[in-house]
Amino acid sequence: MTSAPTLAPASGLDESDRERLDAAIEELETGARTWSALAVGQRATLLRAVRAAVAASGEEWAHTAAVSKGLNGSHPLRGEEWLSGPYSTLGALDAYIETLSRLAEGRNPLEGIRVDRAPGGRTRVHAFPLTGVDKALLSGFTGEVWLEPGVTPRAARAGAGLAQRTPGESGGVGLVLGAGNVTSIPVLDVLYELLAHNRTVLLKVNPTQDALVSVFEHAFAPLIEPGLLRIVRGGGDVGAYLTAHPRLAHVHITGSAATFDAITWGTGAAAKRRRRENRPLLKKPITAELGGVSPIIVVPGEWTAADLTFQAEHIATMRLQNCGHNCIAGQVVIMSSDWDQADAFRAALRRAYAKAPERSNWYPGSDDRMQRAGDDYPDALVLGDRLLVEIGEGEDATALENTEYFAPVLGVVEVGGTGQEFLDAAVAHANDRLQGTLGANLLIDPVTQKSLGSGFERAITQLRYGSIAINAWTAFGFITPTLSWGAFPGNTLADVGSGIGVVHNALLLDRVERSVVHGPFRPFPRSLPGANGGGRFTILPKPPWFVTAATGAQVSEGLTRFRADGGVLGLAKTLIQALRA
C-alpha cells in the first residue's frame, strides 16, 4: 500500500480512510495495466459479462432506487427508476458492445450509419434509431449528433472510436464524482471514462445514492474484479482528498457549478485571488456536467384541444419527472404573447401541472430552493407540492431565468410575434437570458414547421445548447446512448456554465458539438399518416415517461425487462399496457 504524503489531510478524514482510498487507487493502477493489455474484442466480451450482471440486478436496482426516493411499490411514478437506472445502462452497454465489436472486426463504428451535412459546415451523424427494435418501439423518434464546424464526414469516420482505436495507450486512473439524483449517471460516466479515454475509474458515489452501492457492486462485478473500477462512499472530505490526489489523472463531476468552482479554485479569498491570477488549485484536467435553466419553446400554431392537453402534459413531465431534481428539467416555458390560443394553453398547462401525481421533495436542499422560489415570486400559483410562476407584463423574470431551482418550479414567460419572428425571438431569449447551455426543448406542430422551411433549421442551428429536443424532451437524448450528453462547447474553467466535455456518445465520436432529437408532435392514433396535417407516426398513445401516463410504471418495467432478456411474451404484455396509457 502506497500513501500520498504530499497531500494535506482533508478535514475529518483519518489515516485509515486515507489508506483505504490510496489502496483503491493502487489497485486501479494495476487494473490500468490489465486494461491496456486487453484487445478490443476482449473488452467487448467483458462488457457482455457486465451486461448480464446488470440485467440480473435490474429489479433490485429499480426497487432500491424507488424506495430511496420515497416511492412505494404502488406509486404510479415508480417506473421512472426502471427507465433512468437499469434501462439506460443496458442500452449503453448494448451500444458500446456494438461499437467495440465493429472495431475488433476492423470495421468503422459509423459503417452503415448515415452521415451527411448540417448547416454551418457541420457534419451530422444520424445516430438513432440504429436497431430494428428501436425503430419499432420508438417509432417517430430520431436523433442526430452534430459535430463541430469544420469536421468533415471523412474526419468523423477517421476519429470514431476515440481511445479504443489505440487500446494499448493507458489514460491512467480517473475520478468520477457521481451525481446524486439519477442512478444511471455515475455508472454511465464510469463507462465513458473507461471506453472513451482508457481510464480505470474510482467512483465516489454521492451520499444520496449510498443505498445503491451494493447494487452497483453486483451489477459491475466484472469490472471490479480485474481492478478496472472501485466504488467508495463519502462526503466532501473524501471528495477533497481525491480531487487533490497526485496519482489520479483526471476528474469528472456531475453536480453544481459551485462544487466545480470549489474543486477548481478553492474557496474564500484565496479562490478569488487564484481566479484573478488564473492559477487553478486543481492541477489535473477536469470535465463536468452541471445543469442549467432549460427552456421549453412553444411555437404558436393551430392546435386542437387534444394537442393543447397532450403538450401541456409533456411540459409537466419535463418539470416534474424525478420531482424536478434533474439537471435537464425544463424550467422556463417561452410562448408567444400574440398566439390566439395562448390563454387556452395556459389553462391546459395549469391543469396538467396540477393533476400529476404528488410525491415528496427528496433531494437535499430542495425545500430551501422551493422557499427561495416562493420568496422570489410570492404571487406564484401553489399547486399542491409545486409552484407555477407566470411572469406578467412588467414583472422581473431574472431569478426564474438564472436560478436552477432543481425542484418542482415551472415558469412561463412571453415574447412577441408568430411564425419565424417568434421563433427567432424565442431562440435569442433562450440564448441570451437563460443560465446554462445543457439542453433546450421546442414544441411545434408539423404544419407550422413545414411552413417555416429552412428558417426552422436555421433557428435550431442558432440554439446554443448541447442537447436540443424538437417535440420531445431532452431526457430522451440523455437515455439514448448513441447520442452525446453535455453542455454546448466553449465553456472554460473560469466560466464553466453547464460544464465542459461530453459523455454517453457510444459511437465514440470526436469533436461533438450537440445532439438533436426529433419526436412526434401527436401520439397514436392521432399520429396516423395524413391526420392533422401529417407529422411523425408513433405507436405510443402516451410515452411511459409522461408523469400522467396511467400505465407508465408497468410499461417502463416491461420495457426494461425486454431490454434485459428479449422476452417476446413479456413485450406483448407491455405493449398492451402501453395502449392503456
PDB file of all heavy atoms in Angstrom, residues 156-168:
ATOM      1  N   ALA A 156     -14.847  12.571 -39.492  1.00  0.00           N
ATOM      2  CA  ALA A 156     -15.715  11.962 -38.485  1.00  0.00           C
ATOM      3  C   ALA A 156     -15.506  10.454 -38.426  1.00  0.00           C
ATOM      4  O   ALA A 156     -15.400   9.874 -37.334  1.00  0.00           O
ATOM      5  CB  ALA A 156     -17.173  12.281 -38.789  1.00  0.00           C
ATOM      6  N   ARG A 157     -15.420   9.842 -39.582  1.00  0.00           N
ATOM      7  CA  ARG A 157     -15.202   8.396 -39.622  1.00  0.00           C
ATOM      8  C   ARG A 157     -13.799   8.042 -39.127  1.00  0.00           C
ATOM      9  O   ARG A 157     -13.614   7.040 -38.424  1.00  0.00           O
ATOM     10  CB  ARG A 157     -15.412   7.867 -41.040  1.00  0.00           C
ATOM     11  CG  ARG A 157     -16.854   7.949 -41.512  1.00  0.00           C
ATOM     12  CD  ARG A 157     -17.031   7.290 -42.877  1.00  0.00           C
ATOM     13  NE  ARG A 157     -18.426   7.301 -43.298  1.00  0.00           N
ATOM     14  CZ  ARG A 157     -19.006   8.261 -43.997  1.00  0.00           C
ATOM     15  NH1 ARG A 157     -18.286   9.324 -44.384  1.00  0.00           N
ATOM     16  NH2 ARG A 157     -20.272   8.187 -44.323  1.00  0.00           N
ATOM     17  N   ALA A 158     -12.837   8.873 -39.471  1.00  0.00           N
ATOM     18  CA  ALA A 158     -11.460   8.586 -39.055  1.00  0.00           C
ATOM     19  C   ALA A 158     -11.300   8.671 -37.542  1.00  0.00           C
ATOM     20  O   ALA A 158     -10.491   7.944 -36.952  1.00  0.00           O
ATOM     21  CB  ALA A 158     -10.498   9.549 -39.743  1.00  0.00           C
ATOM     22  N   GLY A 159     -12.065   9.553 -36.895  1.00  0.00           N
ATOM     23  CA  GLY A 159     -11.915   9.733 -35.453  1.00  0.00           C
ATOM     24  C   GLY A 159     -12.825   8.872 -34.622  1.00  0.00           C
ATOM     25  O   GLY A 159     -12.642   8.773 -33.395  1.00  0.00           O
ATOM     26  N   ALA A 160     -13.832   8.248 -35.244  1.00  0.00           N
ATOM     27  CA  ALA A 160     -14.787   7.453 -34.472  1.00  0.00           C
ATOM     28  C   ALA A 160     -14.077   6.285 -33.795  1.00  0.00           C
ATOM     29  O   ALA A 160     -13.322   5.546 -34.430  1.00  0.00           O
ATOM     30  CB  ALA A 160     -15.902   6.945 -35.384  1.00  0.00           C
ATOM     31  N   GLY A 161     -14.341   6.119 -32.524  1.00  0.00           N
ATOM     32  CA  GLY A 161     -13.680   5.074 -31.744  1.00  0.00           C
ATOM     33  C   GLY A 161     -12.837   5.624 -30.618  1.00  0.00           C
ATOM     34  O   GLY A 161     -12.534   4.925 -29.654  1.00  0.00           O
ATOM     35  N   LEU A 162     -12.418   6.903 -30.731  1.00  0.00           N
ATOM     36  CA  LEU A 162     -11.625   7.577 -29.694  1.00  0.00           C
ATOM     37  C   LEU A 162     -10.521   6.671 -29.172  1.00  0.00           C
ATOM     38  O   LEU A 162      -9.749   6.132 -29.939  1.00  0.00           O
ATOM     39  CB  LEU A 162     -12.545   8.074 -28.581  1.00  0.00           C
ATOM     40  CG  LEU A 162     -13.556   9.168 -29.002  1.00  0.00           C
ATOM     41  CD1 LEU A 162     -14.454   9.556 -27.835  1.00  0.00           C
ATOM     42  CD2 LEU A 162     -12.842  10.395 -29.547  1.00  0.00           C
ATOM     43  N   ALA A 163     -10.453   6.466 -27.859  1.00  0.00           N
ATOM     44  CA  ALA A 163      -9.323   5.728 -27.281  1.00  0.00           C
ATOM     45  C   ALA A 163      -9.321   4.251 -27.659  1.00  0.00           C
ATOM     46  O   ALA A 163      -8.277   3.593 -27.546  1.00  0.00           O
ATOM     47  CB  ALA A 163      -9.334   5.864 -25.755  1.00  0.00           C
ATOM     48  N   GLN A 164     -10.465   3.733 -28.116  1.00  0.00           N
ATOM     49  CA  GLN A 164     -10.476   2.316 -28.498  1.00  0.00           C
ATOM     50  C   GLN A 164      -9.761   2.072 -29.815  1.00  0.00           C
ATOM     51  O   GLN A 164      -9.550   0.912 -30.201  1.00  0.00           O
ATOM     52  CB  GLN A 164     -11.920   1.815 -28.564  1.00  0.00           C
ATOM     53  CG  GLN A 164     -12.641   1.863 -27.234  1.00  0.00           C
ATOM     54  CD  GLN A 164     -11.826   1.238 -26.114  1.00  0.00           C
ATOM     55  OE1 GLN A 164     -11.475   0.056 -26.181  1.00  0.00           O
ATOM     56  NE2 GLN A 164     -11.501   2.016 -25.094  1.00  0.00           N
ATOM     57  N   ARG A 165      -9.353   3.128 -30.478  1.00  0.00           N
ATOM     58  CA  ARG A 165      -8.515   2.962 -31.670  1.00  0.00           C
ATOM     59  C   ARG A 165      -7.068   2.673 -31.281  1.00  0.00           C
ATOM     60  O   ARG A 165      -6.296   2.157 -32.093  1.00  0.00           O
ATOM     61  CB  ARG A 165      -8.592   4.222 -32.540  1.00  0.00           C
ATOM     62  CG  ARG A 165     -10.019   4.569 -32.983  1.00  0.00           C
ATOM     63  CD  ARG A 165     -10.039   5.813 -33.850  1.00  0.00           C
ATOM     64  NE  ARG A 165      -9.423   5.526 -35.156  1.00  0.00           N
ATOM     65  CZ  ARG A 165     -10.058   5.014 -36.191  1.00  0.00           C
ATOM     66  NH1 ARG A 165     -11.347   4.728 -36.097  1.00  0.00           N
ATOM     67  NH2 ARG A 165      -9.438   4.785 -37.313  1.00  0.00           N
ATOM     68  N   THR A 166      -6.703   3.048 -30.052  1.00  0.00           N
ATOM     69  CA  THR A 166      -5.350   2.800 -29.532  1.00  0.00           C
ATOM     70  C   THR A 166      -5.464   2.193 -28.140  1.00  0.00           C
ATOM     71  O   THR A 166      -5.126   2.822 -27.133  1.00  0.00           O
ATOM     72  CB  THR A 166      -4.543   4.105 -29.472  1.00  0.00           C
ATOM     73  OG1 THR A 166      -5.290   5.088 -28.722  1.00  0.00           O
ATOM     74  CG2 THR A 166      -4.273   4.652 -30.870  1.00  0.00           C
ATOM     75  N   PRO A 167      -5.963   0.975 -28.042  1.00  0.00           N
ATOM     76  CA  PRO A 167      -6.291   0.404 -26.734  1.00  0.00           C
ATOM     77  C   PRO A 167      -5.094   0.209 -25.812  1.00  0.00           C
ATOM     78  O   PRO A 167      -5.264   0.143 -24.592  1.00  0.00           O
ATOM     79  CB  PRO A 167      -6.930  -0.944 -27.097  1.00  0.00           C
ATOM     80  CG  PRO A 167      -6.418  -1.262 -28.468  1.00  0.00           C
ATOM     81  CD  PRO A 167      -6.275   0.049 -29.154  1.00  0.00           C
ATOM     82  N   GLY A 168      -3.909   0.140 -26.359  1.00  0.00           N
ATOM     83  CA  GLY A 168      -2.738  -0.074 -25.515  1.00  0.00           C
ATOM     84  C   GLY A 168      -2.236   1.172 -24.816  1.00  0.00           C
ATOM     85  O   GLY A 168      -1.349   1.089 -23.955  1.00  0.00           O
TER      86      GLY A 168
END
